[in-house]
Amino acid sequence: MGYQPIAARSCSARVTIPDHWTQCEIVGSHVPQTKPPINTYYYSGTSDEIETILRDGFVDNIEERNTGRLGVYVGDAPGEPDPDFPDDQVLEITLPEQIDTSNWRLVVPEKPCRWQEWLIPVRVFNEHGSVRQLRRDEWENAWTKYKDAQRLKQ
């Protein structure tokens, strides 16, 4: 299966989370942590979108249907490059460990995803995030490392 886009296609437009996310629940800090908090996230988009983010910062481009919360949709995996979207690029965003993002984690219990997902307020990334664009080979390597780590967990 090819890469599943992690981000909305336009950074300047607000997008409503698709219908299959209507059952999302936001997992709070009351959820026991089984590993150290994740502090690296991935965001994909077209080259124009990525260029705009690198120049101007992130914008809230997704709205959570049940709560109306706005944020940036990210995952803990970069996904696989998809030949059907050759213009897509990936940003790697790192937050300091002391920033707890558990309140913004999205969970769809009946439709588990291959990776974890968050809807993080834009101010968190713009104020605290370290952002870098991955080259295509770095993107492929990051995806391979993620898949290998998942296999080891099984």
Side-chain angles (χ1 to χ4, degrees):
M1 179 191 301
Y3 165 75
Q4 299 295 317
I6 306 179
R9 289 275 167 222
S10 170
C11 67
S12 62
R14 286 200 176 139
V15 178
T16 302
I17 290 180
D19 287 340
H20 72 278
W21 288 358
T22 57
Q23 299 300 314
C24 286
E25 66 178 89
I26 299 168
V27 177
S29 57
H30 63 279
V31 175
Q33 294 289 326
T34 57
K35 60 181 180 173
I38 296 170
N39 64 355
T40 301
Y41 306 89
Y42 297 93
Y43 180 94
S44 70
T46 65
S47 58
D48 288 342
E49 181 183 5
I50 298 299
E51 182 180 311
T52 300
I53 291 168
L54 292 172
R55 182 183 63 240
D56 302 331
F58 286 95
V59 297
D60 287 320
N61 65 349
I62 299 287
E63 181 178 76
E64 206 277 327
R65 185 178 311 257
N66 295 333
T67 65
R69 281 183 322 120
L70 297 173
V72 178
Y73 176 67
V74 295
D76 68 345
E80 182 178 19
D82 187 335
D84 292 336
F85 297 96
D87 190 41
D88 276 2
Q89 298 180 11
V90 168
L91 295 177
E92 180 182 79
I93 308 125
T94 306
L95 293 174
E97 286 185 31
Q98 65 268 26
I99 295 180
D100 180 7
T101 61
S102 62
N103 287 329
W104 303 306
R105 186 166 157 227
L106 300 172
V107 176
V108 183
E110 65 280 356
K111 293 185 180 183
C113 188
R114 296 188 316 187
W115 48 75
Q116 294 182 57
E117 303 166 315
W118 289 260
L119 185 63
I120 298 179
V122 69
R123 67 175 168 68
V124 174
F125 285 139
N126 288 339
E127 292 175 17
H128 305 286
S130 173
V131 180
R132 78 180 185 101
Q133 183 176 357
L134 298 182
R135 295 185 321 261
R136 189 64 144 206
D137 64 315
E138 291 174 316
W139 180 359
E140 291 168 355
N141 287 339
W143 177 239
T144 299
K145 285 181 185 178
Y146 182 83
K147 289 189 312 185
D148 290 347
Q150 297 307 306
R151 273 195 285 274
L152 289 175
K153 289 179 184 179
Q154 296 176 354

